[in-house]
Each structure stands twice: as C-alpha cells, then as structure tokens.
Amino acid sequence: MSVSLRNHSLPPKSFSLTLLLLLNSLLFSSCYSLLNEQGQALLAWKNSLNSTADALASWNPSSPSPCNWFGVSCNLHGEVVEINLKSVNLQGSLPSNFQALRSLKILALSTANITGRIPKEIGDCKELTFIDLSGNSLFGEIPEEICRLSKLQTLALHANFLEGNIPSIIGNLSSLVNLTLYDNKFSGEIPKSIGSLTELQVLRVGGNTNIKGEVPWEIGNCTNLVVLGLAETSISGNLPSSIGMLKRIQTIAIYTTLLSGSIPEEIGKCSELQNLYLYQNSISGSIPSQIGELSKLQNLLLWQNNIVGTIPEELGSCTQLEVIDISENLLTGSIPTSFGKLSNLQGLQLSVNKLSGIIPPEITNCTSLTQLEVDNNAIFGEIPPTIGNLRSLTLFFAWQNKLSGKIPDSLSQCQDLQALDLSYNNLTGPVPKQLFGLRNLTKLLLLSNDLSGSIPPEIGNCTSLYRLRLNHNRLSGTVPSEITNLKNLNFLDVSSNHLVGEIPPTLSRCQNLEFLDLHSNGLIGSVPNNLPKNLQLIDLSDNKLTGELSHSIGSLTELAKLNLGKNQLRGSIPAEILSCSKLQLLDLGNNSFSGEIPKEVAQIPSLEIVLNLSCNQFSGEIPPQFSGLRKLEVLDLSHNKLSGKLDALSDLQNLVLLNVSFNDFTGELANTPFFRKLPLSDLTGNDGLYIVGVATPKEAKGHARLFMKITLSILLSISAALVLLTVLVLIRAHVSNKVLMRNNNWVLTLYQKFELSVDDIVRNLTSSNVIGTGSSGVVYKVTVPNGQTVAVKKMWSSAESGAFTSEIQTLSSIRHKNIIKLLG
C-alpha cells in the first residue's frame, strides 16, 4: 500500500473519495449479485420504467429474493409465480426478459399506464394461466406466440389500442375460459378456430368497429359459453342456428352491428339465457314464438330493427322478464294480453311500430312496471281506468296514437310518476285536477288533443313540474295565478286554446322559466312588466294584448326569440331592446306601434333570423344602422308609413325575404341580383320607388342584327308594296330596339300583384318577338320565367308620351272581360 501511495500523485482528499466510491461500488455489486436471476430481471424492468410511484420502493437490490417485494408472489421453491401491479402507475413498457420468469402463472398489470407492444417472449412463460393487461395503451398486434400458452385460462387485453387480426390459431389455447378483447382496434373476422375453445365461458370482442364477417357457425361448439359479446362491430349476416347448442349461455350481446336475417328458432333451446341484446341491427322476419320457452329470460332488447309480424303471445310465459324493448320496428297486431302475467316486468317499450288494438287492461297487473312506452303506433280506445294500479310507474308515453275518452283520474295514484305524455291523440274532457297532486311529476305533455275545461288552480301543487305543454286543445278560462308557484318550471306552452284574461303579473316568480308560449288565445291586458329573467323564447302573438311595451324588456338578456305579433300593442319600441343582445327573432307585426324605428333595433348583434315590423304605424326613415344587419334572413317593413330611400338595405347579402311594400319609399333600388329578383308584390305601394334595369348583352344585339338582315333579304322577293311596308315596320322596330339597348334606366310601376323583373322584360324586346304595330308603338310578346305570357308595348318615341299617358289612364279605368288586365 505504501508503494501504491508513493507511485501516485493523488492528494489525500482525492484518494479518500476514490476509495469510498470503490468500496460503494464493490458493496453494490455484491448486493446485486445476491439477487437470483428472476430478481435481476424484475429489477432491470423497474429501471426501464419512468414511474415515480412509491409502490416499487421495496424492489431493492439488497434483497436476496424478490419474493417479499410489493406485487410479487413466489411458490415454496422461491420462484416468482405472480406479478400483480394493477392500478399502479408504471409508465413504461412490458418486461422483455420473460425467460427468467419461467414459473410465472399470473401477470396482472391492468390500468398500469403500460405502453408499447406485447413482446413475443411472453410465449416462453409456459406456466401462465392468467394474463390481464387491460386498460392500458398497448398497440400493435397480438403475437401468435401467446397462443402457445396451453395452460392459459384468462386473457384480458380489452381497452387498449391493439390492432390487426385476432390470431387464427387462437383455438390452440385449449384451456381458455375468459377471452376479453373488446374496445380495441382489431380488424378481420372472428377465427373459426374459436370453436375449438370448448372450455370458453366468456367471449367479448365488442367495440372493435372493424371486426367484420359473420358470427362463425363453429361458435356453437363452445358449449360452456356463458357470455357472448360482439356488440359495436361490423359483424354481418345471420345469427347462426348453432346458437341453439349453447345450453349454458346467459348473455348474448350483438347490438349495433350489421346483423341481418331473422332470429333463429333454435334460440329457444338456450334454456339458461337471461339477456338477449340484439338492438340496432338490420334483423328482419318475426320474433320466433320459441322465445317463450326461455323461462329465465330477464331482458329482451330488440329495438331499432326491421322485425315484422305480431308480438308472440308466448312471451307471456317468460315470467322472469324485467325489460322488453322492441320499439322502432315494423310490428303489427295488438299488445298481447299475456303480458299481464309478467309480474316482474319493469320496462315495456313498444314505441314506433304499427301496433293497433287497445291497451289491454291486463297490462295493469304488471305492478312492478316503472316505464310504459306505447307511443307512435295506431292504438285506439281508452286508457284503462285501472292504470292507477301501476303504483311504481315513473314514465308513461302513449303519444301519437288514436286514443279517445278521458284521461283516467286513477293516474293520480301513480305517486312516483315523473313523465306523462299523451299528446297527439283524441282525448276529451278536462285535465284531471288530481294529476297535479303528483309531487314527482316533471313532464306533463297533453298537446294536440281535444281537451276542454279550465286549467285547474291545483296546478300550483305540482311543484316538481319542469315541462308543461297543453297547447292545441280547447281549454278555456284564465291562466291560473297558482302557476307561478312552479319554481322549477322551465317550459310552458298553453298556446292555441281559448284562454282569456290577463297574463299573471307574478309570472316572474318562475325564475327557471326559459320557454313561454301563450300565442293564439284571447288574452287581454298588457305584457307583464316583470318577466322571468332566464326567458329565451316568448311568444304572445295572436292575442288581444294592449298597452305599451315596457322598458323592462331590456332585462331579458337571455332572450333569443320574441314574438308579439297580431295584438293591439301601441307606443314606440323601447331603446332598451338593445340589451337583448342574444335576440335572433323579433316579430312585432300587426300591432299599432308608432314613431320612428329606433336605431337600437338594428344594433342587436344576434338579430339574424327575422325582423318583422309590418302592419304598424312606423314613420320616418330606415335608420342607417340597418346596414349592419348582415346576417338577417327575413325583413318585413311593409304596411307602415316609412319614407326615404332603401340605401341602408343594399348590402344585406344574407336576406332571403324582404318586403317593403305599402310605404312611402322613394329613389332607386340597388342593382343587385337579390333586388332584381324580388317579387314586385314586395315593392308595390311605394310610388317614388323605381328599379334599375340591366342592358341586354352584346350577343343578343348581334343576333338581332343578323336576324334583321336575313329577314330583309327574304322579303325583297315579295311585292314592292309589301316589302316597303314591312321594311318600314322592321326598321322602326330595329331602331327602337337599339335605343332600348342603350338605355339602362327603366322605371317600372306595377298595378297588379305579379312576379317579374325589369330583366325579364327588356331582354325579350327583340324584333323576333314583335306581334303587332300601331300608330303609337310596337307590341311585343314576352314570356316571363314563371311561364306566363304578357304583352309589352314600346312607344315609338318619347315625344308621344302624351298618347302613352292617355292610353294608360284609359286602360286603368276600364274593367271588361274582353280587355286584358293592365299589369304595369
């Protein structure tokens, strides 16, 4: 040692540090070498991970064996047989050195933030019985080497990003009991070798939308199968008849696929079947009566298919049934009375079919029923008066049928009822006041019936009510003030009835109200000053409301649609309307509003659907701010006393409909395609308003000249007198036409409702359309775009405007069956 020190020039501190590092290195190497091969492989895997989790803190190189490490279990021989790190945030890939883990039986790494591919070396762990790598971010294909694991009983790879085909040799996993591959990106077909898995109990491959082909017939060989899940794939073709060989099957879930054909009768042999989910497919044919043999069936979901025929009475023998949903099919016939034997039935959905007949009274024996949906059929007759026996009922939909009679009072006994929709039927009589004692009722929809009587004041007791629609009936009386007790009310529609009286001034108490529709009644009084602040739609049109619109309208900042048309409202539009910044539709037409249109109306930023101010007494000019309504689609200012020019409207390119008729507008209308195509009925009644015409294209002039030359050359062979006369007429018409082509300014005045534009007339005033001449001008035959034919007279010269005026005055004053109507 002394020689070593003398031969090195290291200072004493550096030597001490070097010696310490050397000792630590030797100590670490010594500890690491204590670990057996399995421990070293696991420790190498740990070091490859990015995890900062404390869960692997016990994985220490100083341990002689990994058997005491977290998540690691060994057998009596000290061999690692289990790695269970599920729900540990590992952040890395799977171990690649599986050769050191030859005795491994269980590998559970679900939801462990594992990425990368499944290494093919996993096939070396011949003792593996359980692999769960679900809920990770694995990608790539399943290595075929995994199919060498003959002892494997569970393979759970669901909820990853695995792709490619399911290995065709999957049938080699002869001990497999559970195979879950759902929610990945697998493609291809279900291998026929799946039929070799005679021990298989669970097969779930759903959620792989690129899995295609048919359900293999060989699936029937998996006689121990309990769960078959192929939902949300592109599986097509028929359900094989071999399905009847699955005597132990409890759940068949093949919904939202491309399955077609009929349900095989052999399904009745699946004696243990509890759940049959075949909805959202293209299944046709009828429901096999053999389903009635499934005594343990609990859920039958066949909705949204193309199933025809009648509902088999035999279904009433499936006394364990809890849910039947066969809605959205093409079923006919009546609802089986045998359903009355289904005492465990909780949900019965028969909506959107072609069912007829009555609602059988026997159905009220199903006292466990919570949901009854028979809407969108052709069911007639009365609602069974014993409907109140269904004390557990929470939802009853029977809308869009042919039901008649009264609404049974006994419905009030269904104290758990939350939603009742009997709309679009022929129900008569009053709305039972007992209904409003249902404290859990949130939706009551009775629209489009023939109900009469008044809205009972007891409505105020139905405090959970969220949506109330009684529109399109024959209800009379007033809107009860008790309705303002409904603090949860969001949607109120009692339009198209015979209601009278005033709108309850305390309606503002319904603070959650967003939709208020009272149109087409006989309501009087004024629009309430205080309305619920959350209102998004107000329709009070077609009533008898009077008074002025309150300045408080500006407090409705959530309002999107306001329709007060067809009332007797007066005064001016309050400038506070600008605060309704979300307003898209404003209809104040057919009232008695007066004064100028406030500029604030045009400054509402969201006004883009309709602005209707027609049939009022507005005066003054259109505010220049109207030019900012670039998104507006419909503008109606007709039948007012407005004046000035329409320049503010010239740039409204999004307009679909514009009506400014019967005002005092003057000046030139914008020369744009939209304004040129406007029906003249939407412009009439403005004496000083004129439209700019468009010159005929040069090509049309050239064609006209060519035609003239040809015509003249032919006419030279005719008698001199006729030639001279014809030439005189045509030359004058040609000269007139040239003048016409040079003139771009035309004033069109209409006397009748007729849809044509200046372009429609001018482009047809050519010599080929001449049908006669007179002392004052030439008459042309013109066919307008709608197919109608009109006669147009062009005066010889402006000097004869007096004759023209005289002729117009005469025609406009004569009414006779043999004199054509003067259009303009």
Side-chain angles (χ1 to χ4, degrees), residues 220-501:
N221 296 329
C222 303
T223 52
N224 284 302
L225 204 59
V226 176
V227 176
L228 174 60
L230 303 175
E232 297 179 6
T233 63
S234 297
I235 289 288
S236 58
N238 296 359
L239 192 63
S241 59
S242 62
I243 207 83
M245 299 164 60
L246 305 177
K247 307 298 183 183
R248 299 182 61 187
I249 194 77
Q250 295 180 12
T251 297
I252 298 176
I254 313 179
Y255 56 85
T256 318
T257 71
L258 303 177
L259 205 61
S260 59
S262 57
I263 301 172
E265 296 178 354
E266 289 79 2
I267 198 84
K269 297 178 181 179
C270 301
S271 54
E272 297 294 317
L273 193 61
Q274 299 175 14
N275 306 297
L276 182 58
Y277 304 135
L278 299 177
Y279 57 86
Q280 285 189 315
N281 284 295
S282 299
I283 295 172
S284 56
S286 58
I287 300 173
S289 59
Q290 289 80 359
I291 282 187
E293 299 171 14
L294 304 175
S295 60
K296 296 184 179 180
L297 192 63
Q298 297 176 12
N299 295 290
L300 177 62
L301 274 61
L302 306 178
W303 55 275
Q304 207 174 99
N305 278 286
N306 299 313
I307 300 173
V308 298
T310 59
I311 303 172
E313 282 279 347
E314 290 81 356
L315 269 180
S317 301
C318 303
T319 54
Q320 298 299 312
L321 268 170
E322 296 177 0
V323 176
I324 298 175
D325 191 345
I326 47 180
S327 57
E328 299 183 64
N329 280 287
L330 303 170
L331 295 166
T332 55
S334 58
I335 301 172
T337 57
S338 63
F339 279 6
K341 297 184 291 185
L342 303 177
S343 58
N344 293 311
L345 194 63
Q346 298 175 22
L348 178 59
Q349 284 98 15
L350 307 176
S351 308
V352 197
N353 278 288
K354 297 181 179 181
L355 299 173
S356 56
I358 63 171
I359 299 176
E362 291 83 356
I363 208 77
T364 62
N365 295 332
C366 304
T367 53
S368 298
L369 203 60
T370 61
Q371 295 189 11
L372 175 58
E373 301 177 38
V374 295
D375 55 274
N376 286 275
N377 282 288
I379 297 170
F380 53 82
E382 298 187 359
I383 300 170
T386 53
I387 193 79
N389 293 344
L390 303 178
R391 303 297 174 86
S392 299
L393 200 63
T394 61
L395 183 149
F396 180 28
F397 284 177
W399 58 282
Q400 197 71 60
N401 278 290
K402 299 178 180 180
L403 295 171
S404 57
K406 296 183 177 181
I407 300 173
D409 294 343
S410 63
L411 269 172
S412 62
Q413 298 171 18
C414 305
Q415 288 295 314
D416 292 329
L417 195 61
Q418 298 175 18
L420 175 63
D421 192 345
L422 305 177
S423 307
Y424 302 102
N425 281 290
N426 301 312
L427 298 172
T428 56
V431 180
K433 62 181 181 181
Q434 295 91 336
L435 278 183
F436 299 111
L438 298 173
R439 298 300 178 90
N440 294 308
L441 192 64
T442 60
K443 296 180 182 178
L444 177 60
L445 310 178
L446 304 176
L447 59 136
S448 296
N449 278 286
D450 197 24
L451 300 171
S452 56
S454 61
I455 302 174
E458 286 81 1
I459 193 171
N461 299 326
C462 200
T463 52
S464 296
L465 205 58
Y466 180 84
R467 191 177 180 91
L468 175 63
R469 298 197 66 181
L470 305 176
N471 48 299
H472 289 88
N473 281 287
R474 291 191 298 114
L475 299 174
S476 56
T478 62
V479 179
S481 59
E482 289 81 2
I483 206 167
T484 62
N485 295 335
L486 306 179
K487 309 298 184 185
N488 295 308
L489 192 63
N490 175 270
F491 193 110
L492 174 61
D493 188 352
V494 291
S495 61
S496 300
N497 279 289
H498 303 307
L499 299 173
V500 295

Side-chain angles (χ1 to χ4, degrees), residues 4 15 29 56 104 136 147 183 195 214 229 250 263 308 337 379 444 478 486 536 552 594 660 668 721 768 774 803:
S4 176
F15 169 74
S29 301
L56 301 185
L104 191 64
N136 285 295
C147 298
D183 291 346
E214 299 187 358
Q250 295 180 12
I263 301 172
V308 298
T337 57
I379 297 170
L444 177 60
T478 62
L486 306 179
Q536 297 179 17
S552 62
S594 58
V660 294
E668 175 184 309
S768 59

Side-chain angles (χ1 to χ4, degrees), residues 510-776:
C510 301
Q511 297 178 357
N512 291 307
L513 194 63
E514 295 181 355
F515 187 106
L516 175 63
D517 192 347
L518 306 177
H519 81 266
S520 300
N521 280 290
L523 299 173
I524 60 173
S526 59
V527 178
N529 289 340
N530 294 312
L531 288 168
K533 298 295 188 291
N534 290 318
L535 277 170
Q536 297 179 17
L537 182 145
I538 299 176
D539 191 346
L540 306 179
S541 62
D542 196 15
N543 279 287
K544 299 177 181 178
L545 299 174
T546 56
E548 298 187 2
L549 190 58
S550 169
H551 296 278
S552 62
I553 193 73
S555 64
L556 304 178
T557 55
E558 299 297 319
L559 198 60
K561 297 180 181 178
L562 175 61
N563 189 350
L564 302 177
K566 296 184 180 179
N567 280 288
Q568 299 166 23
L569 299 171
R570 55 183 171 79
S572 59
I573 302 175
E576 288 79 1
I577 195 82
L578 177 59
S579 298
C580 302
S581 58
K582 297 182 180 179
L583 199 61
Q584 300 176 22
L585 181 150
L586 177 60
D587 190 343
L588 303 179
N590 288 276
N591 279 286
S592 298
F593 287 106
S594 58
E596 294 187 351
I597 300 173
K599 63 181 181 180
E600 287 79 7
V601 169
Q603 292 173 331
I604 300 172
S606 297
L607 197 58
E608 55 187 42
I609 299 178
V610 171
L611 175 57
N612 182 9
L613 304 178
S614 65
C615 300
N616 281 285
Q617 298 176 29
F618 290 114
S619 58
E621 298 186 359
I622 297 175
Q625 289 80 5
F626 265 61
S627 62
L629 295 174
R630 300 296 177 88
K631 296 181 180 179
L632 189 63
E633 296 179 1
V634 176
L635 175 61
D636 194 344
L637 303 176
S638 64
H639 295 275
N640 279 288
K641 300 177 181 179
L642 298 168
S643 58
K645 297 184 177 181
L646 298 179
D647 294 347
L649 309 182
S650 60
D651 292 329
L652 303 187
Q653 301 297 326
N654 209 46
L655 279 178
V656 177
L657 295 174
L658 171 66
N659 192 343
V660 294
S661 62
F662 298 100
N663 281 283
D664 295 318
F665 291 121
T666 57
E668 175 184 309
L669 201 60
N671 186 10
T672 65
F674 172 77
F675 283 98
R676 286 199 300 268
K677 293 178 181 178
L678 268 181
L680 291 173
S681 58
D682 292 343
L683 300 171
T684 191
N686 295 282
D687 294 339
L689 192 65
Y690 61 93
I691 307 170
V692 178
V694 177
T696 304
K698 294 180 179 179
E699 291 81 2
K701 291 194 288 185
H703 292 161
R705 294 192 188 98
L706 180 61
F707 181 83
M708 292 285 290
K709 292 178 181 178
I710 295 173
T711 303
L712 287 173
S713 62
I714 294 174
L715 291 177
L716 289 174
S717 61
I718 305 174
S719 64
L722 187 58
V723 168
L724 291 175
L725 180 61
T726 303
V727 169
L728 176 63
V729 170
L730 291 177
I731 288 176
R732 296 191 70 177
H734 180 59
V735 171
S736 174
N737 193 45
K738 282 186 176 180
V739 174
L740 176 71
M741 300 310 171
R742 297 192 192 102
N743 189 359
N744 288 334
N745 296 312
W746 292 90
V747 178
L748 180 63
T749 304
L750 281 184
Y751 298 99
Q752 307 290 339
K753 184 177 181 180
F754 197 77
E755 295 188 4
L756 54 81
S757 68
V758 173
D759 285 354
D760 299 331
I761 300 299
V762 175
R763 72 165 61 96
N764 288 290
L765 300 187
T766 61
S767 56
S768 59
N769 289 331
V770 174
I771 57 174
T773 61
S775 61
S776 58

Side-chain angles (χ1 to χ4, degrees), residues 785-802:
N786 64 8
Q788 291 183 287
T789 301
V790 298
V792 180
K793 186 170 185 179
K794 172 68 176 66
M795 304 302 292
W796 285 125
S797 70
S798 58
E800 296 176 86
S801 59

